[in-house]
Structures are given as structure tokens and as C-alpha cells.
Amino acid sequence: MGTRKKVHAFVRVKPTDDFAHEMIRYGDDKRSIDIHLKKDIRRGVVNNQQIDWSFKLDGVLHDASQDLVYETVAKDVVSQALNGYNGTIMCYGQTGAGKTYTMTGATENYKHRGILPRALQQVFRMIEERPTHAITVRVSYLEIYNESLFDLLSTLPYVGPSVTPMTIVENPQGVFIKGLSVHLTSQEEDAFSLLFEGETNRIIASHTMNKNSSRSHCIFTIYLEAHSRTLSEEKYITSKINLVDLAGSERLGKSGSEGRVLKEATYINKSLSFLEQAIIALGDQKRDHIPFRQCKLTHALKDSLGGNCNMVLMTNIYGEAAQLEETLSSLRFASRMKLVTTEPAINEKYDAERMVKNLEKELALLKQELAIHDSLTNRTFVTYEAMDEIQIAEINSQVRRYLEGTLDEIDIINLRQIKEVFNQFRVVLSQQEQEVESTLRRKYTLIDRNDFAAISAVQKAGLVDVDGHLVGEPEGQNFGLGVAPFSTKPGKKAKSKKTFKEPLSSLARKEGASSPVNGKDLDYVSTSKTQLVPSSKDGDVKDMLSRDRETSSIEPLPSDSPKEELRPIRPDTPPSKPVAFEEFKNERGSEINRIFKENKSILNERRKRASETTQRINAIKREIDVTKEALDFQKSLREKQGEYENKGLMIIDEEEFLLILKLKDLKKQYRSEYQDLRDLRAEIQYCQHLVDQCRHRLLMEFDIWYNESFVIPEDMQMALKPGGSIRPGMVPVNRIVSLGEDDQDKFSQLQQRVLPEGPDSISFYNAKVKTEQKVPGAYLWRVIDLWPSIFPKARDDFVSGSLLATLGSPGMGLVLTHRRQ
């Protein structure tokens, strides 16, 4: 387990024009905040009212940008999550104090994004910097509204509504939400799309304190799983980051809530009160019981509050005098949170599949070592593989010869052979028992004592007395008279008995362990003369059995009619692009995909070599620094002891001379390694260019194939073929499917050219646009609202209406014209 550490608590003050400078003061170290209240004169001369409070925290953020907030609060937690440590960041405070702005930010503006989108961005940036690990990212979005659990991502088409209500379940691995959907994200844009999808489903309301007040607690969780690409260890690490946006506490007299909003405020205040009780219990070292199950919020955060987790609290407060009581309450909560300790540790798990592969490798290595040992001791005929049918048949033959007395001893080679010898002894014994039972059944009719129907039938025949004993059975002995076969006559020998016994026993010996005769099957053998088969017919029986096997395995013969060329049936609804993309990579795009994978493997290999070279350069640099320090020490020691000269040349001792030579060699190695690193970086840049080209070509070919296979109507495809009704040049092929796709491509290219925040913001805006496109008409109107702020360079084109030609979209042009009017 890891070492215990305190929870970090920060305070962020909401900017305001009416800041209470006389009542709120910050410490010079930006880690403390002092609150001063004026005495209430109405209480009289004897007034013991407390008027001064001082709170020591990990940081006070006043007039801080979103960048500074993330660097201070969340960056270390996210970076440690990729090393296997769980993390939790929680925003707490009064309603309208800026919790949602701190956690999510303004989704319309990239610069004002909050902790959550920045954390997603940092995760994918760090994954790109770790090519030696295969890291999987999954996300979920939980909402706790009026003590009920809701999945904010259940509106996605491939999720669907849950039949059973969601519940909180505990197991030895921790706490998880049963019924909560977890979504795999392979790139940054997909993660942003899921975030924006959940944000659109959150419940908000308006009151006097906040126009867009969150009416529920929300927990966005990022699950990480990292496997090493270079090491064959079966261990891998997992972690999760909980980003908690709590609903704000309310004073009903100030917020003026009523009706549904009043009910929501009651649930919010109740859950926050239970949260504070749990924090107080965690801070008290003498408390044994922590009331986690009082509400859904504390139960869901049981792992985060005082568990295996790096915990950070962000407390949002007002800076106005009118809200000073709520500010004091929030600061007290932050002080109590600092008393809570957590015990973060790396979450290591074992991959069962990789463990099996490692054990197989180890087994093969041990077999090789045994083979070497056997060859050194002249035991060259020993094998350690599983025995085949021929070897088992040979051991069966040796056992039979040993029992018959023709073989004196069985040579023992290894333990596997010993086990098989004992197994064949059991097989031979079983076969002999079956032969004895078969012989008895041919001579007598054996009756089971528990078969009452058969006993009653024999009693009627006069073969059994009234007490159920067989006729002629003495007291205390197991002997009885059997019933002879009906066709057997006295004084004559049944010739078929011997002839039937021999083929049956010989057949059992030939089949051995592979097909033993079951004693239960012999119950169905009749004793009538017509079913006694002589030995001359034994071959006919085998032929009949073989014919039955052949008949059962005969396949229907194909018809002689010529085969028609089968054309794959197009599905009614086209498959999803991810499924179609996998099919395309295995069929038409297999060659491009192979080249893409080869280039990518070369790129990863170059990156790995560059990483190793960088590590060597850093090691050489550290060794150069150590050598310089040692050389400086030798020089200072020489100066203290006095310098010696011979014919104007300085005389140094041998140790200093060796240090000078070592430093020279290290510098030479450093220059050589640095040159190699520069060459590798040039190769990486070139390989990255090739990978990007292959990726672009693969996606372009896939789009063409997908449109031809599933989107373009079949009659249109027939018309486009040579000799069709449409001549080349009449309709461009790239305009047949949809004009909207081309417009979207142009819009994406325009985004990449003129986005003021640079390429890093492309995924953010693309995900935002995709989310708004799901609502009919919302995308176009949102583009109108965002256009002047997102694209300031295109403001003139927007005003003049010339942007219509750039986008090439009639629908967009109509809306832009409407806005201009």
C-alpha cells in the first residue's frame, strides 16, 4: 500500500465588482484567507461574538484564469493517473459561485474550457508521448438527481434506456454503479463528444441567485488501462479519475425557490449535509464507523473520500459582503477536508491471457532444458509431449503381454508413461469384466433384484418363489438357477456360443481403450438363435458399420446446373462506419492497411530508439556533471596544497589527469549520441509524414467504398456504369450522394485554417458541432452565434455575405443572409 497523505484544498473566489475588501483579506503566501466581521451593536455591551476567522489552505485563487486553475489544481492528479494512481477532483460551494464554470467551463469558447475538457486533452497528449504502452480510455457520466441515479449518456443510439434501475454495488475491487454505461474512446474528439452529450442532458433551473443553476450532482469518470508493448509481463495498471461537480447549497430565503425547484434544493442541501458529516467522521481518527450510506452521493464517492485516491477539493466562494455567511460555511468545509487523509497506491492487475502465454514460454524453455539434460545422460529416446494413439496402443500391448506372462517387465521412461501404464491396467480390467458379463448373459438371463416388473414375470413363470428368492438358492449363498435360452435343446451344444464369443472379445481387444464395450449396451443383446452371428460374418458386420458411418457423413451433391454469379445482398440499413471500416480493412483496403501498419511500426520503432537515445544522452550529461564536479574539487585541492611547475608547465597528479581524459571521452560520446538523436528525429518526422499519408489514403478509399457499397442507390450505380443513361460529365460523382458531406469537409478545412487557438482546439469545436447537429436546426444557428468569436479573421466575409462561396452550402447561405438582414 502507499503512504498516507492529506487531501489538498484550494479556494477560488468569484470575480465581482462589489468585493468586500474590508472583510476578506488574502495572505502574502496566497495560501491563507482571513475573514473579519463587524460586531453587532444590537447585542449590547457584553458581546462575545466571534468576528475574526483565519483559514490555512493549499492555495487561494483570486482573479485566476482557467489555465492557472488547471495547472494548480488538476494537472498533477491527471499525470499521476497514467502511472496507476486513482484521482478525484471535486468542486464544492454555494449556488452560483462558479463550480460548473470551474469544472466544465464555457463550452462555446475554447479558452474558457474548464478542468474536465483540459483533463481529457492532457490524457490523450500523454498517451501520444508513451508509444511503449497501449493505453485504453473509457468514460462514463453519472447524475444524482433527487437521490436517484441517472446515466447522462443513455441517450446515445447504441445505449438505449435501462430496464432495471441503477444501483450502487460494492465488491472487493471497490464501488461501482450497476447499469451505468461505460464508453470506449480512442481519440480526443470522441471524448469531447461524450462530454457535450452528457452536458446537454443535465438538469438546470433558474432562481434569483443563478440563472443556470445545476440541480444535480454529476460525476464524470475517466477509466485508464495501460499495457506495456515492450515487456511481456502479465501485469498491467488501471486507474480512474473522478471529476465531481456538486450542486450548490442554497438558502431558500435568498434563492426564492418554490415548487419543483424547492424540492430539488431540499434534496441538494440534505445530500451536502450528509457529505459534510462523512468528512467530519473521516477527519476524526477515533471514529470507527463512517456514514457513507446515508445518501447516494457519499456512497458513490466512498473510494474517493479517504480511500485509494489522490483527492483535491476546489471550494468556490463569493467575494461579496452579502454572501459572507455562506462563504464562511464553505471555508469551514474546506478546512475539515484538509484533515482527511487518503492512501493512494498503484493499481496493478494481471492479464490472464498474457500470463498463460508466459507460462507456455516457460514450459517450452523447461522442456528444452530437460532435453539437454537427457542428451547429456544418454537418454535420447525420452519425450515430454502428450502421448498419441500409437504410443498408447503400444503401452496397451505391453500391459497385455505382461499379464499373459510373455513380457517380464515394462521399461519405465518418464512419469507420463507410468500414469499411462496404470491407466491401461484399468482399461484391460474393465474389458475383462465386460467379457465375463457378456458370457454370462449368453448363458443366463440376469435379473436385477430391484426390477420388480421382471421379478413378477418370472414368478408367474414359476422360477421364483413367493419370498422373491430364486428357485434352488440356498440360504446365505449367492447361487441360483438361471433360465436357459429358449432355443437351446437338452443334449445338444450350441455351436454359436463359442463362435460369437471369439469375434466379440477379439473386436474389443483390437479397439482397446478407444472404443470399450459398455456393459449397459449388452443388456439389449437378445439370446435368440437368430441373432447369434458366426465368425464368418464378422467382416460383414464391420462393412455394415463402416457403411453407416459413410452414409451419415455424406454431404448433398451439388446440382449439375451452372452456378449463377451471386451478388451480395445490400442490407436495408447501412452498417455503422466502424463495423464497415473493419470489413474494408480486411478486404478491399487490405493492402493499404498493411502498408499503413508497416509504416506505423517503423515509426514506433524510431520513436523507441529516440527515447532510448535521449535516456543515454541524459545519463551521459549527468556523468559529465559529476566528472566536472570531481575535476573542480581536484583543482581546488591542488590550489590549496600549492601548484608545481616544470619549465613553465603546470604539473598535475594522475587522478586529475584521468578525470580530464574521462571528461573528454564523455563529451565526445555526448556529441555522437546527440547527432544520432537529430538523425532519428528527422527520420521520425519523415515516417510521421508517411503514416499521415497512408491514413489519409485509407480513409479516402474507405469513403469511396462505403458510398459505392451502401449509400449510392443501385439504380444510380447501374446508370453510372459504361453504357448507362448518365453520360460522363453530366453529374459529378462526388455530388451524387449528398451535398452536405462536401460542405462539412470544407467547413472542417476552414476551421483548421482560421481557428485562433491553433490546431489543439479542432477536436473541441468538432465535438461541439457534432453534438449540436443532433438537434434539428441547432447547428446552423449556433454557428451564426459563434461565427464572429471563432473566426475573427473571417468577420469581413461574414458581414459582406461573401462567405457563402467559401462554404458552398445553400442552406448555410440562406441562414447567413437571414442573420445579415
Side-chain angles (χ1 to χ4, degrees):
M1 294 294 292
T3 57
R4 300 196 70 85
K5 59 185 294 188
K6 296 281 187 179
V7 172
H8 293 288
F10 297 88
V11 171
R12 187 181 191 184
V13 185
K14 183 176 181 179
T16 178
D17 295 333
D18 190 17
F19 186 80
H21 294 282
E22 298 179 355
M23 299 181 179
I24 302 176
R25 295 185 180 90
Y26 306 124
D28 296 334
D29 57 352
K30 295 183 179 180
R31 290 176 177 268
S32 60
I33 182 170
D34 300 328
I35 306 296
H36 173 75
L37 288 178
K38 295 180 181 180
K39 278 195 174 184
D40 191 357
I41 305 175
R42 294 172 297 179
R43 294 194 176 187
V45 179
V46 181
N47 188 351
N48 296 325
Q49 177 188 2
Q50 183 178 356
I51 59 174
D52 293 308
W53 290 268
S54 181
F55 299 95
K56 186 72 175 178
L57 304 167
D58 292 288
V60 178
L61 302 171
H62 180 58
D63 290 336
S65 64
Q66 295 282 64
D67 290 333
L68 179 60
V69 170
Y70 184 78
E71 292 288 332
T72 306
V73 176
K75 187 174 183 180
D76 291 340
V77 176
V78 176
S79 66
Q80 290 188 28
L82 270 79
N83 296 326
Y85 293 95
N86 294 335
T88 297
I89 303 171
M90 181 188 298
C91 287
Y92 176 89
Q94 181 188 3
T95 179
K99 298 180 299 301
T100 303
Y101 179 77
T102 301
M103 180 57 67
T104 308
T107 56
E108 292 82 6
N109 196 315
Y110 178 75
K111 288 183 178 180
H112 296 162
R113 67 197 188 282
I115 291 175
L116 211 161
R118 291 174 189 269
L120 289 172
Q121 206 166 25
Q122 182 183 351
V123 165
F124 284 98
R125 292 291 183 273
M126 294 183 69
I127 290 175
E128 292 178 358
E129 296 172 359
R130 299 189 181 189
T132 58
H133 286 77
I135 302 177
T136 305
V137 183
R138 294 178 175 86
V139 299
S140 65
Y141 211 165
L142 172 69
E143 181 184 47
I144 304 175
Y145 174 71
N146 290 353
E147 280 302 295
S148 299
L149 304 177
F150 296 95
D151 185 2
L152 290 178
L153 301 179
S154 62
T155 56
L156 294 172
Y158 55 86
V159 177
S162 177
V163 180
T164 58
M166 297 168 59
T167 56
I168 302 175
V169 181
E170 294 188 41
N171 58 14
Q173 286 73 33
V175 177
F176 70 97
I177 312 300
K178 184 178 180 181
L180 180 64
S181 62
V182 181
H183 303 263
L184 177 66
T185 58
S186 57
Q187 56 186 356
E188 186 179 322
E189 185 177 330
D190 296 339
F192 283 146
S193 297
L194 294 172
L195 169 62
F196 296 146
E197 177 72 22
E199 286 296 315
T200 58
N201 297 328
R202 288 190 63 173
I203 297 176
I204 61 174
S206 177
H207 53 74
T208 57
M209 298 290 295
N210 190 359
K211 185 174 66 174
N212 296 315
S213 175
S214 300
R215 312 309 296 166
S216 60
H217 309 298
C218 291
I219 304 174
F220 188 92
T221 306
I222 306 172
Y223 306 89
L224 302 174
E225 183 176 312
H227 295 260
S228 176
R229 298 182 190 269
T230 56
L231 302 177
S232 60
E233 295 181 357
E234 58 271 8
K235 279 196 307 185
Y236 65 96
I237 59 174
T238 61
S239 61
K240 63 179 180 179
I241 308 172
N242 289 323
L243 301 163
V244 186
D245 182 15
L246 298 175
S249 59
E250 296 181 21
R251 292 212 173 200
L252 302 180
K254 290 185 178 181
S255 63
S257 302
E258 57 184 12
R260 180 179 62 85
V261 181
L262 175 61
K263 180 182 177 181
E264 294 169 349
T266 304
Y267 276 105
I268 291 170
N269 291 337
K270 183 179 178 181
S271 61
L272 292 177
S273 177
F274 287 142
L275 174 63
E276 189 166 3
Q277 292 178 17
I279 297 302
I280 294 173
L282 286 169
D284 187 359
Q285 302 297 330
K286 298 180 182 179
R287 291 281 294 269
D288 295 331
H289 173 68
I290 310 299
F292 284 119
R293 299 198 177 195
Q294 286 184 324
C295 67
K296 299 288 181 61
L297 176 63
T298 54
H299 198 185
L301 295 176
K302 182 178 179 180
D303 290 343
S304 303
L305 302 174
N308 174 20
C309 181
N310 288 316
M311 179 75 182
V312 177
L313 174 70
M314 169 61 78
T315 305
N316 296 85
I317 62 173
Y318 276 96
E320 300 175 358
Q323 311 296 336
L324 209 56
E325 292 184 10
E326 288 79 6
T327 297
L328 278 172
S329 177
S330 299
L331 291 174
R332 290 192 191 101
F333 181 85
S335 299
R336 295 188 183 107
M337 182 65 83
K338 277 187 64 64
L339 299 176
V340 178
T341 59
T342 60
E343 195 171 357
I346 298 178
N347 301 293
E348 292 183 343
K349 295 185 179 181
Y350 290 87
D351 188 349
E353 183 178 356
R354 187 169 292 188
M355 190 183 297
V356 169
K357 291 182 179 179
N358 291 343
L359 290 175
E360 289 176 350
K361 291 180 181 179
E362 186 177 358
L363 181 62
L365 181 61
L366 291 175
K367 287 182 179 180
Q368 293 176 1
E369 292 182 358
L370 282 174
I372 295 175
H373 176 73
D374 292 336
S375 63
L376 293 175
T377 55
N378 294 326
R379 301 174 71 225
T380 56
F381 298 103
V382 180
T383 59
Y384 298 97
E385 301 293 337
M387 292 188 174
D388 55 14
E389 295 182 358
I390 298 177
Q391 292 173 334
I392 294 174
E394 177 62 27
I395 293 176
N396 183 277
S397 175
Q398 292 177 2
V399 169
R400 289 184 181 278
R401 285 185 287 149
Y402 178 78
L403 294 174
E404 292 171 357
T406 58
L407 183 65
D408 295 334
E409 61 182 14
I410 300 175
D411 294 332
I412 300 301
I413 301 175
N414 53 24
L415 181 62
R416 196 187 298 271
Q417 187 208 14
I418 295 175
K419 291 182 178 180
E420 189 58 39
V421 167
F422 281 102
N423 185 38
Q424 290 303 318
F425 270 114
R426 186 185 297 112
V427 170
V428 172
L429 178 62
S430 176
Q431 291 177 354
Q432 289 179 352
E433 290 177 352
Q434 291 172 5
E435 290 176 3
V436 171
E437 184 179 0
S438 175
T439 303
L440 291 175
R441 286 185 181 278
R442 285 196 302 272
K443 291 183 179 180
Y444 309 103
T445 300
L446 303 180
I447 301 175
D448 188 1
R449 290 182 181 274
N450 296 324
D451 191 354
F452 300 105
I455 291 176
S456 62
V458 175
Q459 286 178 349
K460 292 179 180 179
L463 300 176
V464 179
D465 58 11
V466 180
D467 296 331
H469 299 289
L470 295 176
V471 177
E473 180 179 3
E475 292 287 338
Q477 296 182 8
N478 295 325
F479 174 79
L481 295 177
V483 181
F486 300 108
S487 59
T488 305
K489 295 181 180 180
K492 294 185 179 181
K493 296 181 179 179
K495 297 181 181 179
S496 60
K497 291 181 181 179
K498 186 176 180 180
T499 56
F500 179 75
K501 178 181 178 182
E502 290 178 354
L504 183 62
S505 60
S506 62
L507 182 61
R509 288 195 187 98
K510 287 181 182 180
E511 292 185 358
S514 59
S515 60
V517 180
N518 193 353
K520 295 180 180 180
D521 297 337
L522 294 174
D523 294 340
Y524 300 96
V525 178
S526 176
T527 56
S528 61
K529 186 176 180 181
T530 57
Q531 293 186 356
L532 297 179
V533 184
S535 60
S536 61
K537 299 294 183 181
D538 186 40
D540 297 338
V541 174
K542 294 182 180 179
D543 293 340
M544 180 180 66
L545 293 175
S546 63
R547 283 197 302 271
D548 291 341
R549 293 193 204 100
E550 292 175 359
T551 306
S552 62
S553 62
I554 288 177
E555 298 179 355
L557 296 175
S559 60
D560 297 335
S561 60
K563 293 183 178 180
E564 297 181 359
E565 184 180 354
L566 296 178
R567 186 176 180 181
I569 300 175
R570 173 181 289 194
D572 296 334
T573 59
S576 62
K577 284 203 171 184
V579 175
F581 188 61
E582 294 298 327
E583 181 183 354
F584 171 75
K585 288 192 297 183
N586 295 329
E587 296 177 356
R588 182 169 168 180
S590 59
E591 183 65 20
I592 304 176
N593 188 39
R594 181 187 63 80
I595 297 173
F596 172 70
K597 287 183 177 180
E598 290 178 357
N599 291 338
K600 198 168 184 180
S601 63
I602 295 172
L603 176 61
N604 291 335
E605 190 269 337
R606 294 293 190 276
R607 285 178 174 171
K608 180 181 176 183
R609 284 172 53 187
S611 176
E612 294 172 352
T613 305
T614 304
Q615 293 176 2
R616 290 197 300 270
I617 290 174
N618 293 334
I620 294 172
K621 183 64 173 61
R622 288 192 293 268
E623 194 170 356
I624 287 175
D625 295 338
V626 173
T627 306
K628 283 183 178 181
E629 291 179 1
L631 189 58
D632 293 339
F633 176 75
Q634 289 292 331
K635 287 181 180 179
S636 61
L637 188 63
R638 183 179 37 138
E639 291 174 356
K640 291 179 182 179
Q641 294 177 354
E643 299 178 347
Y644 297 93
E645 295 184 359
N646 185 10
K647 297 180 181 181
L649 299 176
M650 187 69 64
I651 299 175
I652 60 177
D653 59 0
E654 183 179 359
E655 186 174 357
E656 186 176 352
F657 178 71
L658 293 176
L659 287 173
I660 293 173
L661 292 179
K662 182 181 179 181
L663 182 61
K664 184 178 179 181
D665 292 339
L666 287 174
K667 288 182 177 179
K668 183 178 180 180
Q669 293 180 20
Y670 183 86
R671 287 192 291 268
S672 176
E673 293 288 347
Y674 188 74
Q675 183 61 36
D676 293 342
L677 181 61
R678 292 182 61 183
D679 295 341
L680 283 172
R681 285 176 177 173
E683 292 181 13
I684 289 173
Q685 185 177 3
Y686 178 70
C687 292
Q688 184 67 50
H689 177 66
L690 292 180
V691 169
D692 294 339
Q693 280 186 336
C694 288
R695 183 185 290 109
H696 178 71
R697 176 69 182 279
L698 185 65
L699 295 176
M700 184 178 64
E701 293 289 338
F702 167 70
D703 288 337
I704 296 174
W705 173 81
Y706 187 83
N707 291 334
E708 292 178 353
S709 302
F710 305 107
V711 180
I712 299 178
E714 295 184 1
D715 53 353
M716 183 65 71
Q717 290 186 6
M718 295 297 295
L720 291 173
K721 287 183 178 180
S725 59
I726 298 180
R727 298 189 304 274
M730 290 180 62
V731 181
V733 178
N734 58 354
R735 303 292 292 179
I736 292 175
V737 182
S738 171
L739 294 173
E741 291 184 358
D742 296 331
D743 299 335
Q744 184 63 33
D745 291 340
K746 292 181 181 180
F747 183 73
S748 300
Q749 295 173 6
L750 183 61
Q751 276 186 319
Q752 298 180 16
R753 287 199 306 270
V754 300
L755 275 179
E757 292 86 1
D760 292 342
S761 62
I762 295 176
S763 300
F764 183 87
Y765 284 121
N766 283 344
K768 184 64 179 175
V769 167
K770 287 180 181 178
T771 304
E772 291 172 341
Q773 278 180 332
K774 295 180 181 179
V775 183
Y779 165 64
L780 295 178
W781 289 109
R782 177 57 74 185
V783 168
I784 294 170
D785 295 335
L786 298 180
W787 194 266
S789 60
I790 299 177
F791 304 112
K793 296 181 181 179
R795 186 182 301 273
D796 296 335
D797 292 338
F798 172 75
V799 175
S800 63
S802 61
L803 195 61
L804 175 62
T806 305
L807 290 175
S809 171
M812 183 72 76
L814 290 174
V815 177
L816 289 177
T817 305
H818 177 75
R819 172 64 180 265
R820 184 180 58 188
Q821 293 173 354

